[in-house]
Amino acid sequence: MGEAPVFYINGFSKFEHEIQQQNHVNDQNHDSSWYEEIIDEDLKWSFKLNSVLHKAISEYQDITLLDTKRFGKALVLDGKMQSAETDEFIYHECLIHPSLLCHPNPKTVFIMGGGEGSAAREALRHRSMDRVVMCDIDKEVVDFCKKYLIANREAFSNKKLDLVINDAKVELVKRKEKFDIIVGDLADPLEDGPCYQLYTKSFYEKILKPKLNDNGIFVTQAGPAGIFTHKEVFTSIYNTIKQVFKYVIAYTTHVPSFADTWGWVMASDEPLSICGEEMDRRIAERIDGELLYLNGAWFHSSTTMNKTVHQSLQNETHVYTEENARFIPGHGMAFRL
């Protein structure tokens, strides 16, 4: 586990391909490059590539931008798929709009992470929005997403966007203002990764929650939530947030490029109940353009878990702390240095 991502050429690893070249083996019918992501120690997920657009190692993480045949341009950090061009709307509509639609009149949003700009793009679609602060720790990720991800160029140039390069924890501590919505668009908690401390009870309780306005809402991506993966971090993040907020909702949906069901957790000290019809009305009144995935009926169905996941959420006792964290399979930069 924790190996760097592997690139495959003609069905062979780079090392094997070099051997095949030395032996003058070349099958034109299978001439292609593949990107391989390690899902677990006994499971891999491969993408056929058009090209590798960018590869780098920043101060914080491995960065890869791929042009894949199935999913278009794809951002990969520390060997984990973060976002793909053809289906990122699923993840980002689910991350951003439920919390803003549950809020009576959202005007300010603070996004932790979100370097590619898609979360900010969706928040800025709300007509009530006055200001979106996007705080990402990795300037190199932000810079090349601004360069390559055409869909978000308008969001990056929007005057309502305040783009900050900093640790989200440090930035929240130093800011005096409060926000209607705080969004956790962070990378998954990887051992020695750049952001697992931002999933802890102490961070939620002592730093994040005091920066919310009285009727404020917090929402975070919460990792894989599939039948075989939901206990990695999803149930723990949910239970941790329950220790800090009065009202907590978990919801899930399938994201094809992630090869799994994905989870989000939304929380507030004010009730989050909103009927499907009211959510649809607010979508029509508040949001510029048409949503491709989210509507009121879907959102309500997304909060209903299958029996196994529901029981796991109810029975979870683990609380996320820096000393007792859970991680998804893989490792961050510090592990490899």
Side-chain angles (χ1 to χ4, degrees), residues 222-239:
I227 191 72
F228 299 122
T229 56
H230 64 278
K231 290 186 179 181
E232 290 175 358
V233 295
F234 176 58
T235 57
S236 178
I237 292 170
Y238 171 78
N239 187 59

Side-chain angles (χ1 to χ4, degrees), residues 199-210:
Y199 291 93
T200 61
K201 180 186 176 185
S202 61
F203 171 69
Y204 293 149
E205 192 169 49
K206 297 176 182 179
I207 296 174
L208 186 149
K209 188 176 180 181

Side-chain angles (χ1 to χ4, degrees), residues 7-12 17 26-35 47-50 69:
F7 290 90
Y8 277 73
I9 304 172
N10 296 333
F12 299 98
H17 178 63
N26 184 19
D27 184 350
Q28 294 297 330
N29 293 327
H30 296 85
D31 187 20
S32 60
S33 299
W34 291 78
Y35 168 78
F47 304 85
K48 195 173 185 179
L49 301 180
N50 292 318
K69 289 185 178 294

Side-chain angles (χ1 to χ4, degrees), residues 34-311:
W34 291 78
Y35 168 78
E36 180 182 274
E37 178 178 330
I38 298 171
I39 303 295
D40 210 332
E41 58 188 17
D42 60 352
L43 185 63
K44 297 178 181 179
W45 172 232
S46 294
F47 304 85
K48 195 173 185 179
L49 301 180
N50 292 318
S51 63
V52 178
L53 297 173
H54 182 92
K55 261 180 118 302
I57 299 177
S58 74
E59 181 181 353
Y60 303 101
Q61 53 204 336
D62 287 339
I63 306 166
T64 308
L65 187 64
L66 307 173
D67 182 10
T68 72
K69 289 185 178 294
R70 174 59 63 93
F71 297 112
K73 292 175 184 175
L75 175 65
V76 179
L77 300 179
D78 279 338
K80 298 293 181 182
M81 174 74 79
Q82 302 299 307
S83 178
E85 192 174 26
T86 60
D87 69 356
E88 58 86 3
F89 69 91
I90 300 173
Y91 171 90
H92 289 104
E93 286 189 15
C94 294
L95 174 69
I96 295 297
H97 296 300
S99 61
L100 272 71
L101 292 167
C102 286
H103 192 281
N105 189 27
K107 292 184 175 297
T108 55
V109 173
F110 186 97
I111 300 170
M112 303 186 295
E116 69 185 271
S118 299
R121 179 197 70 213
E122 293 300 316
L124 288 164
R125 295 175 67 181
H126 284 252
R127 300 180 185 120
S128 63
M129 196 56 53
D130 289 336
R131 189 171 181 227
V132 174
V133 179
M134 188 185 92
C135 181
D136 198 285
I137 197 171
D138 201 328
K139 185 177 185 299
E140 186 161 357
V141 169
V142 174
D143 285 347
F144 83 73
C145 287
K146 289 170 73 173
K147 178 179 180 180
Y148 287 107
L149 302 184
I150 297 172
N152 296 335
R153 285 182 181 171
E154 186 176 339
F156 277 119
S157 63
N158 194 304
K159 293 181 179 179
K160 295 180 180 180
L161 178 66
D162 180 8
L163 174 58
V164 179
I165 304 299
N166 200 1
D167 182 311
K169 179 179 179 180
V170 173
E171 188 66 24
L172 279 173
V173 167
K174 80 174 188 178
R175 284 181 176 261
K176 291 182 169 54
E177 74 263 45
K178 295 185 177 183
F179 298 89
D180 294 326
I181 310 289
I182 296 180
V183 178
D185 188 16
L186 302 162
D188 299 322
L190 288 171
E191 190 172 3
D192 300 315
C195 60
Y196 76 86
Q197 297 92 341
L198 302 185
Y199 291 93
T200 61
K201 180 186 176 185
S202 61
F203 171 69
Y204 293 149
E205 192 169 49
K206 297 176 182 179
I207 296 174
L208 186 149
K209 188 176 180 181
K211 295 299 181 179
L212 283 170
N213 286 322
D214 288 343
N215 57 353
I217 300 173
F218 169 55
V219 62
T220 184
Q221 79 91 9
I227 191 72
F228 299 122
T229 56
H230 64 278
K231 290 186 179 181
E232 290 175 358
V233 295
F234 176 58
T235 57
S236 178
I237 292 170
Y238 171 78
N239 187 59
T240 302
I241 293 173
K242 277 177 58 180
Q243 313 305 309
V244 179
F245 290 91
K246 291 181 181 177
Y247 302 94
V248 181
I249 294 175
Y251 56 101
T252 67
T253 201
H254 181 70
V255 180
S257 62
F258 291 175
D260 207 345
T261 299
W262 215 253
W264 297 263
V265 178
M266 181 168 60
S268 179
D269 279 347
E270 297 296 325
L272 292 166
S273 58
I274 177 173
C275 70
E277 291 78 8
E278 175 64 16
M279 180 169 279
D280 287 337
R281 186 184 67 80
R282 292 184 183 185
I283 289 171
E285 291 179 354
R286 296 183 180 187
I287 297 175
D288 288 327
E290 185 177 354
L291 297 183
L292 298 176
Y293 195 78
L294 185 144
N295 62 23
W298 169 82
F299 178 71
H300 278 271
S301 69
S302 74
T303 64
T304 301
M305 306 294 152
N306 64 62
K307 179 179 179 180
T308 297
V309 175
H310 173 76
Q311 289 180 340

